[in-house]
Amino acid sequence: MSRLNYHHLYYFWRVAKAGSLTQVAQDVHISQSALSIQIKRLEHTMGVSLFEKQGRKLILTDAGKQVLGYADDIFYKGEELESFLLKGVATERQHLSIGVQTTLSRNFIESFISPLLEDPHISFTLTTRDMDSLLQGLSNHGLDLVLTNRPASQGESRWHTQLVSRQQVAIVGPKGAAINSDFPQGYDTVRWVLPGPTTEIRSAFNALCAAHEYKPNIQAEVDDMAMLRLLARDSGALAVLPPVVVKDEIAQGILEQYQSQLPIFEHFYAITTSRKFVPQALLDLLRHPLS
């Protein structure tokens, strides 16, 4: 076999990850036909077919999947090096890129990053995305850390998931509501605004209701904690959420905790990925999880 052309391998890697010649051609600023020729030259050098067409899609062959595994190792390190150089982590000033799941409590995020605000030598960027985009950002070293309320898939060894906080969930509602008994006694006539059906909190609340044979009168279901906070404040209904989400409203006397000892918790995770160099600012941040 002739000497491997890493430039051709890089083009293969990009197309294999994107699944599209068109998108990669735009990203690397060459024509689609030129990109296709480069990959065909790689296939000729290796003596194997790397892709097969299924309609308009490019599907990796078995050989292509094996080559992709090697390419991942090669270019993953290269992108880590590029990130290292661009962020200037070898200098006195450090920059962290933090990805945040769209539904996460803003008050929790602020508490978590507060140590960064106290250090004039550290700057950071917060980016809000869905879970898939966050993990992609970690994979290409566009992000140093992801904050989420669910762990990464256990089947992927590249991710390192650390539990950084666990918040007990409370029943919160408008100040002065006529509720004096432990749940579910006295809750027959109340309305509820609840986290969405797929959330950890909602699943636990559903189980609690089932155990007590209680059927809540649900007025609204919301996946986003920022929106749930507004509805808890303005709707007059009761909400089930961690008190940290509405700590300002509780302090101002707008909202009140009616049941603070529910057997329900929301878990907050920090997800990172394997890398040769870890910024000291990131290490320090992860050494001091919130209570």
Side-chain angles (χ1 to χ4, degrees), residues 206-222:
N206 286 348
L208 182 65
C209 289
H212 289 283
E213 298 183 346
Y214 173 78
K215 185 176 181 179
N217 177 14
I218 302 172
Q219 184 174 13
E221 299 172 304
V222 187

Side-chain angles (χ1 to χ4, degrees), residues 67-209:
V67 173
L68 177 60
Y70 285 103
D72 271 338
D73 291 339
I74 293 168
F75 296 115
Y76 184 78
K77 289 298 182 184
E79 290 195 341
E80 181 182 344
L81 174 59
E82 184 177 3
S83 174
F84 173 87
L85 296 173
L86 288 175
K87 292 178 180 178
V89 290
T91 66
E92 289 187 4
R93 187 169 181 81
Q94 297 184 50
H95 183 85
L96 292 181
S97 294
I98 301 172
V100 177
Q101 190 177 357
T102 53
T103 58
L104 212 59
S105 161
R106 274 39 176 180
N107 283 339
F108 163 74
I109 297 167
E110 184 180 27
S111 297
F112 183 84
I113 64 172
S114 60
L116 302 179
L117 298 172
E118 300 169 2
D119 192 331
H121 298 103
I122 298 174
S123 61
F124 61 91
T125 302
L126 288 178
T127 304
T128 304
R129 302 178 188 170
D130 60 51
M131 191 66 168
D132 289 341
S133 296
L134 290 173
L135 294 181
Q136 181 60 36
L138 278 179
S139 180
N140 62 26
H141 295 287
L143 297 174
D144 299 301
L145 169 72
V146 162
L147 295 177
T148 175
N149 57 9
R150 62 185 177 94
S153 172
Q154 295 181 354
E156 175 57 74
S157 61
R158 179 174 294 178
W159 313 128
H160 303 302
T161 302
Q162 177 179 335
L163 179 66
V164 293
S165 184
R166 189 180 79 149
Q167 304 280 345
Q168 190 162 19
V169 170
I171 295 176
V172 176
K175 187 80 171 180
I179 301 171
N180 300 311
S181 303
D182 289 338
F183 180 84
Q185 303 301 319
Y187 287 81
D188 294 336
T189 61
V190 303
R191 296 174 293 116
W192 296 88
V193 291
L194 299 174
T198 62
T199 62
E200 179 184 34
I201 294 175
R202 180 62 180 280
S203 296
F205 184 68
N206 286 348
L208 182 65
C209 289

Side-chain angles (χ1 to χ4, degrees), residues 252-265:
Q252 294 165 11
I254 299 171
L255 294 175
E256 182 177 349
Q257 292 188 58
Y258 289 98
Q259 294 290 321
S260 58
Q261 298 298 319
L262 289 178
I264 301 173
F265 294 85

